[in-house]
Amino acid sequence: MVWDSPRLAREYERKSGAQYEMGIRLVALLGISPGSSVLDLGCGTGELASAVARIVGPRGKVLGMDPSPYRIALAERRARKGLAFAVGGSEDLRSLPSRSFDVVYLNYVLHWIDDRRRTLREIHRILKPGGKLGISFEDTSRPSEIDAIIERSAKEALGTLPSGLFLATAPLGRAQLEEMLREAGFRLLRIQAVQSEDCARTPAELLAFWRASSAGRFLSGVSREERRRIEARISERLAALAGSEIRITSETFLLVAERE
């Protein structure tokens, strides 16, 4: 089911600056060269892919893929020679030729993918021998204070947690990811921990970002009235923690691996 909308796609583009900056750091670690062929899997509205296209130059090519047609519609404004976009997710990698890319990267994307092992195997297939894989991710195997606030708020608002309520993605831990990479045929080259901080002036602003960054899936699976009650409880808890603004500190890992 598609939860995204044109409004959420535009909202994400306005509020994704911190993720873009982290993506620039990941791209720098990958050492992408002029003339390279690059896949941005989960490219969103294409800002990072456009920056990579400037690196690979006229002899290279960049393909940005995203499952949201609304985000791809915004990304296509950036399309030009050597930079193309397509609607598609990890399940569509099978349509790409084997050994056709020098670099594949996922910037804050892997945690949205259900079958991560299959996705990594497909990425291994479409990479050329010695090709590089870049992943930026947060270790979500350890619940954060924000996760606890969201879960407690949902329980208080509804009395229980409905099975279809989307609170967060499936946990993605560093050790688990490294094991999956080895299993898929990758050699880990580098992993760097970076402290990051997201800021919001109000609980409503933070809730809007969560809805946009999740393409509308946050708190989906319940009625509009139930979602409104959960958001009201989350806002109360966040307001009690905040001063002049809400600051959420997290640790992002930038990982680079090589296809063996």
Side-chain angles (χ1 to χ4, degrees), residues 229-241:
R229 284 158 46 195
I230 297 171
E231 290 183 345
R233 293 296 299 138
I234 293 173
S235 295
E236 289 173 9
R237 289 184 175 275
L238 290 175
L241 291 177

Side-chain angles (χ1 to χ4, degrees), residues 2 39-45 63-73 75-76 84-96 105-106 109 112-113 118-119 217:
V2 177
L39 172 63
D40 181 335
L41 184 58
C43 66
T45 59
L63 172 63
M65 292 177 62
D66 196 278
S68 168
Y70 308 111
R71 301 186 188 216
I72 289 298
E76 285 179 338
F85 297 96
V87 176
S90 58
E91 67 278 5
D92 299 299
L93 292 175
R94 68 190 69 180
S95 67
L96 299 175
Y105 65 82
L106 302 89
V109 169
W112 292 112
I113 296 175
R118 183 188 63 79
T119 297
R217 281 171 282 186

Side-chain angles (χ1 to χ4, degrees), residues 175-186:
Q176 176 198 35
L177 176 55
E178 291 184 22
E179 184 273 326
M180 287 191 292
L181 287 166
R182 288 192 295 271
E183 182 185 87
F186 288 95

